[in-house]
Amino acid sequence: MEATSKPPQPSLSLPWKTRITLSILSAVTDASCRKNGTINRRILSLIDFRSPPTSKSINGVASHDVVVDETRKLWFRVYVPTQHEGDDLPVIVFFHGGGFVFLSPDAFIYDAVCRRFARKVPAVVVSVNYRLAPEHRYPAQHDDCFDVLKFLDDEENRSKSLPENANLLRCFLAGDSAGGNLAHHVAQRACEFNFRQLKVAGVVVIQPFFGGEERTDSETRLAGTPVVSVKRTDWMWKAFLPEGEGFNRDHPIINVSGPQAVDISEIKLPPVMLVVGGFDALNDWQKGYYEWLKKSGKEVYLFEYPNMCHAFYIFPELPESGQLIAQVKDIIEKISSNVATKFTN
């Protein structure tokens, strides 16, 4: 009797350059997180390389910054694909990752990511600089991101901030990690707001930062994989939640599909694209989010990368990074065609 061979098990597939970069990033971020819940941003500056806006096109993309509210340092960076000036373009409002604690739109890695989205999709990309914890706790981040939508919905603001061919009826909210959390919650909030000229057509949620009181199998089994660990996520959630309310990871802003979840069955949430990685310790929370969306009757598309860790797509040297951006392009085109049909009939 012939023995049946088992299919090969997925393995974390990263080149040494990427592994070393991830190790350095993890070490510096860990060193910046103090035991008393504050953060040493001077240490963070050692790896926080910034990119200025470029009014002249570089590799087919120009960028500029727009201030929404100086008092809370709320601003966004606009990326315009200059080779598509005559085309009707979707708008991607992008929320960066970093556990609600780190990074910004002008961080080198996110400036590069947004340039790739603008050029490859193509789309006008609006990358939001929201306030960070622990200096500013929830709901500051979610309020900032939603306020950018309201800012863009004003015709005078839109005309000064975006090119004429930016179509706000094809507005997509996108984000990774903490930005994925923001994309979901801001989209949910947008469903209950009466915008005049902006319509959230879809949501791109890349390896969202969700959690809960339970310790999941993926959190335990994938301990030691890059970027995410229970120790780090617990620190970030404590820095993020309002002081004086108690520390409960089943808060609906964290455990979106948990015991205190909002009933979204009657909310007209737009289609969601969800990306998960097989070596992301948040994998179980993300798949739970997928099942919750399906049970709530929502349109959701799941894209799995079994050999990838958290935040893999910010590394352009990985083939999977280019694959993900191509899939975002396909989903945006698919949803945009449906939106165009609805508005022309």
Side-chain angles (χ1 to χ4, degrees), residues 154-173:
D154 178 86
E155 175 56 33
E156 182 178 355
N157 292 335
R158 192 213 69 81
S159 63
K160 291 179 179 178
S161 306
L162 304 181
E164 290 185 9
N165 60 333
N167 187 347
L168 283 172
L169 288 177
R170 295 196 289 143
C171 179
F172 291 80
L173 306 187

Side-chain angles (χ1 to χ4, degrees), residues 14 18-27 226-227 309-310 315:
L14 298 175
T18 310
R19 290 177 183 269
I20 291 170
T21 301
L22 285 167
S23 296
I24 293 171
L25 291 173
S26 296
V227 184
C309 65
H310 195 76
F315 297 98

Side-chain angles (χ1 to χ4, degrees), residues 12 19 23 26 218-232 279 281 309:
L12 182 59
R19 290 177 183 269
S23 296
S26 296
S218 64
E219 286 176 314
T220 304
R221 177 171 45 84
L222 296 174
T225 53
V227 184
V228 175
S229 71
V230 166
K231 180 180 178 181
R232 288 189 194 115
F279 284 85
C309 65

Side-chain angles (χ1 to χ4, degrees), residues 146 186-195 200 267-270:
F146 188 72
V186 173
Q188 181 179 309
R189 191 167 167 182
C191 293
E192 301 172 320
F193 188 84
N194 186 25
F195 290 106
V200 178
I267 295 175
K268 294 182 178 179
L269 193 73

Side-chain angles (χ1 to χ4, degrees), residues 326-337:
Q327 289 171 333
V328 171
K329 170 185 170 69
D330 291 344
I331 283 289
I332 286 179
E333 288 180 349
K334 177 179 179 178
I335 295 173
S336 291
S337 65

Side-chain angles (χ1 to χ4, degrees), residues 2-274:
E2 293 185 7
T4 56
S5 59
K6 293 182 179 180
Q9 294 297 308
S11 60
L12 182 59
S13 179
L14 298 175
W16 282 108
K17 174 187 174 183
T18 310
R19 290 177 183 269
I20 291 170
T21 301
L22 285 167
S23 296
I24 293 171
L25 291 173
S26 296
V28 174
T29 53
D30 284 347
S32 69
C33 297
R34 300 185 179 112
K35 292 181 179 180
N36 65 358
T38 62
I39 192 161
N40 187 333
R41 298 205 178 273
R42 185 173 296 178
I43 291 178
L44 278 181
S45 66
L46 298 173
I47 59 169
D48 191 9
F49 305 111
R50 303 295 179 100
S51 297
T54 56
S55 56
K56 293 183 179 180
S57 178
I58 297 178
N59 293 328
V61 178
S63 62
H64 62 273
D65 293 344
V66 177
V67 175
V68 177
D69 185 348
E70 288 186 8
T71 62
R72 49 179 160 152
K73 297 181 180 178
L74 177 58
W75 58 273
F76 56 82
R77 179 164 293 180
V78 181
Y79 299 85
V80 180
T82 53
Q83 296 178 352
H84 297 271
E85 291 181 357
D87 299 338
D88 182 77
L89 295 178
V91 176
I92 299 175
V93 180
F94 182 82
F95 311 126
H96 67 81
F100 300 108
V101 175
F102 309 114
L103 301 171
S104 62
D106 58 352
F108 174 80
I109 55 173
Y110 280 113
D111 183 76
V113 160
C114 288
R115 287 181 175 279
R116 293 172 72 198
F117 276 129
R119 183 171 60 252
K120 298 288 188 180
V121 171
V124 174
V125 179
V126 173
S127 184
V128 179
N129 186 70
Y130 54 84
R131 287 171 289 177
L132 299 176
E135 295 90 345
H136 304 280
R137 294 172 178 264
Y138 173 76
Q141 299 77 14
H142 294 71
D143 286 349
D144 286 352
C145 293
F146 188 72
D147 285 349
V148 166
L149 298 189
K150 293 196 292 184
F151 179 89
L152 292 173
D153 192 50
D154 178 86
E155 175 56 33
E156 182 178 355
N157 292 335
R158 192 213 69 81
S159 63
K160 291 179 179 178
S161 306
L162 304 181
E164 290 185 9
N165 60 333
N167 187 347
L168 283 172
L169 288 177
R170 295 196 289 143
C171 179
F172 291 80
L173 306 187
D176 69 306
S177 195
N181 179 303
L182 285 161
H184 167 77
H185 286 292
V186 173
Q188 181 179 309
R189 191 167 167 182
C191 293
E192 301 172 320
F193 188 84
N194 186 25
F195 290 106
R196 288 170 291 183
Q197 60 179 0
L198 181 150
K199 179 178 178 61
V200 178
V203 191
V204 178
V205 182
I206 303 171
Q207 298 181 283
F209 186 24
F210 295 138
E213 284 296 309
E214 175 192 356
R215 295 304 187 194
T216 64
D217 173 68
S218 64
E219 286 176 314
T220 304
R221 177 171 45 84
L222 296 174
T225 53
V227 184
V228 175
S229 71
V230 166
K231 180 180 178 181
R232 288 189 194 115
T233 57
D234 279 0
W235 190 96
M236 291 172 182
W237 289 131
K238 287 177 182 177
F240 168 76
L241 287 173
E243 293 180 290
E245 291 189 9
F247 178 55
N248 181 2
R249 293 189 303 273
D250 280 336
H251 190 296
I253 211 72
I254 299 174
N255 193 350
V256 65
S257 57
Q260 301 177 44
V262 175
D263 181 3
I264 62 168
S265 58
E266 299 301 320
I267 295 175
K268 294 182 178 179
L269 193 73
V272 176
M273 171 185 180
L274 173 64

